[in-house]
Amino acid sequence: MTTNHPADPSAILQTAFAFWHSKVLLTAVELGVFTKLGDRHVTGVQLGAELGLHPRGIADFFDALVAMKFLFRDGDGPTSTYFNTPEGALFLDEASPRYIGGILVMLNSRLFKFWNDLPEALRTGKPQNEIKHGQKGMFEELYSDLPRLEQFIGAMTGLSRINFEALAEKFDFSNYQSLCDVGGASGLLCIEVAKKHSHLQCTSFDLPAVQPIARKHIAASGLSGRIDTAGGDFFNDPLPNADVMTMGMILHDWNLDKKMHLIRAAYDALPSGGALIAIEALIDDARRENVHGLLMSLNMLIEFGDAFDYSGADFRKWCEEVGFQRFDVIPLAGPSSAAVAYK
């Protein structure tokens, strides 16, 4: 392919050095920079002291965050003050109900180091997480420790909320009376949909260990009268019957055999005309555009080995094999979409 434009290495270098940017932001969240600032304007020396930082890195660290547009700074020099951007205050301050920093903390504490072994994952097809080092797998470890499980669910909540809100807004629930969210975790999808559609009765289905966490969040939302919890193992127990079956970032955790098991289980639990909705960073059918979806699939390789993300065309093919009749893809927030199959 020829072009009239001279070759430019900028994109190569920007991506090659991107981990520098990522590590600064992830470190800032883990240290609690945005939470510590809150609604204050604070000098670098004061903020660094509050965070227990060595003087050498204070100016470079906070000014890098300013240059990256994650902090604002009023003035120049040692007397200048730092303060949160609107996005930092809304999404990265732990006091905000829209906080998404939990997933960033997990990225920093777990995935950053595991991604260093991507070459080995590509050569072997095997997980590069705790299992590689003789420890329990992620889910096995989480479900044996309730506080850690709740922390993980909290981390995923911020990431999921914007997609679940978009689903509640964009999908037509008017012809349905009931919904079951499979792998419902904190009950967030049910909460967001129930808030928007007062006629729906919802059920959050997950392992029994998760039910107390879901009940707490559902009660806090004031929706206990319209959202139930159900406990079970979606590989060994039938799913609760409902008009709509949702799976928010569930299918990508598994290999094809287990994906098909879940799709069949949903089909069996749905009435004629019912809908299965899978929410994922759905890869575009040509596999050329959704970079995040493709990288998420590589993350599934690192986490689980044989798990993978998929396209709308993949989802349609699998659902057709089971018996679903009609299909749709609904763009949600950012790189995520809802793949819908109608029975």
Side-chain angles (χ1 to χ4, degrees):
M1 185 175 67
T2 60
T3 177
N4 294 325
H5 299 288
D8 184 353
S10 298
I12 295 171
L13 294 173
Q14 183 178 12
T15 298
F17 283 93
F19 74 96
W20 286 11
H21 298 247
S22 174
K23 192 63 176 179
V24 168
L25 175 61
L26 296 180
T27 299
V29 172
E30 185 160 291
L31 291 174
V33 170
F34 307 96
T35 301
K36 184 67 73 173
L37 276 172
D39 59 2
R40 301 184 301 157
H41 290 228
V42 180
T43 67
V45 171
Q46 181 182 345
L47 183 58
E50 291 178 5
L51 295 169
L53 306 184
H54 188 279
R56 163 59 187 88
I58 287 175
D60 289 344
F61 183 47
F62 296 146
D63 289 342
L65 289 166
V66 171
M68 293 161 65
K69 313 302 183 189
F70 295 125
L71 285 181
F72 284 150
R73 190 186 68 211
D74 186 8
D76 296 319
T79 61
S80 63
T81 57
Y82 299 88
F83 58 103
N84 274 323
T85 66
E87 294 79 12
L90 185 62
F91 297 117
L92 297 177
D93 180 349
E94 289 183 63
S96 169
R98 308 287 295 175
Y99 179 68
I100 63 170
I103 187 64
L104 277 71
V105 171
M106 191 178 82
L107 289 171
N108 199 37
S109 64
R110 290 187 68 251
L111 292 181
F112 199 93
K113 61 179 179 285
F114 295 150
W115 268 75
N116 190 57
D117 292 337
L118 176 62
E120 185 174 344
L122 291 169
R123 285 192 292 264
T124 66
K126 294 181 179 180
Q128 302 301 309
N129 61 9
E130 293 89 351
I131 292 174
K132 175 182 175 181
H133 304 286
Q135 302 170 32
K136 294 180 180 178
M138 183 178 73
F139 288 146
E140 185 181 1
E141 183 72 29
L142 284 171
Y143 285 105
S144 66
D145 183 348
L146 187 59
R148 189 175 174 195
L149 174 61
E150 188 161 15
Q151 182 183 44
F152 172 77
I153 289 174
M156 300 305 294
T157 293
L159 185 67
S160 303
R161 178 178 281 111
I162 53 175
N163 288 319
F164 296 166
E165 288 176 338
L167 178 71
E169 180 71 31
K170 295 183 177 186
F171 185 77
D172 183 4
F173 286 98
S174 60
N175 293 324
Y176 304 103
Q177 299 301 312
S178 59
L179 177 149
C180 175
D181 185 32
V182 179
S186 67
L188 180 65
L189 187 148
C190 288
I191 290 168
E192 295 301 332
V193 172
K195 284 195 300 190
K196 186 75 176 177
H197 303 279
S198 58
H199 69 285
L200 278 177
Q201 186 69 31
C202 301
T203 300
S204 184
F205 177 83
D206 212 316
L207 292 170
V210 181
Q211 282 187 276
I213 298 171
R215 290 193 190 109
K216 182 172 74 173
H217 285 269
I218 292 164
S221 73
L223 290 166
S224 297
R226 291 182 39 228
I227 303 175
D228 297 321
T229 64
D233 181 335
F234 52 46
F235 287 123
N236 295 305
D237 301 312
L239 302 180
N241 296 110
D243 298 334
V244 177
M245 201 72 56
T246 54
M247 297 182 184
M249 289 160 285
I250 296 295
L251 284 178
H252 78 156
D253 286 337
W254 309 103
N255 62 26
L256 182 55
D257 286 345
K258 290 184 175 179
K259 282 177 168 65
M260 293 303 298
H261 175 98
L262 291 173
I263 292 170
R264 290 188 188 97
Y267 184 88
D268 291 342
L270 288 167
S272 178
L276 166 62
I277 305 173
I279 300 163
E280 307 274 16
L282 209 65
I283 298 170
D284 57 289
D285 290 351
R287 297 174 61 86
R288 291 176 178 270
E289 297 177 10
N290 192 345
V291 175
H292 184 78
L294 292 161
L295 294 179
M296 181 65 82
S297 197
L298 285 173
N299 190 61
M300 293 300 101
L301 164 61
I302 286 170
E303 286 281 29
F304 305 114
D306 56 1
F308 60 95
D309 282 71
Y310 52 92
S311 68
D314 294 329
F315 180 80
R316 176 171 184 157
K317 176 179 179 292
W318 302 331
C319 291
E320 281 180 334
E321 290 179 17
V322 171
F324 285 94
Q325 299 296 309
R326 187 165 60 90
F327 307 89
D328 195 11
V329 171
I330 303 171
L332 298 176
S336 296
S337 300
V340 188
Y342 298 91
K343 183 172 176 177

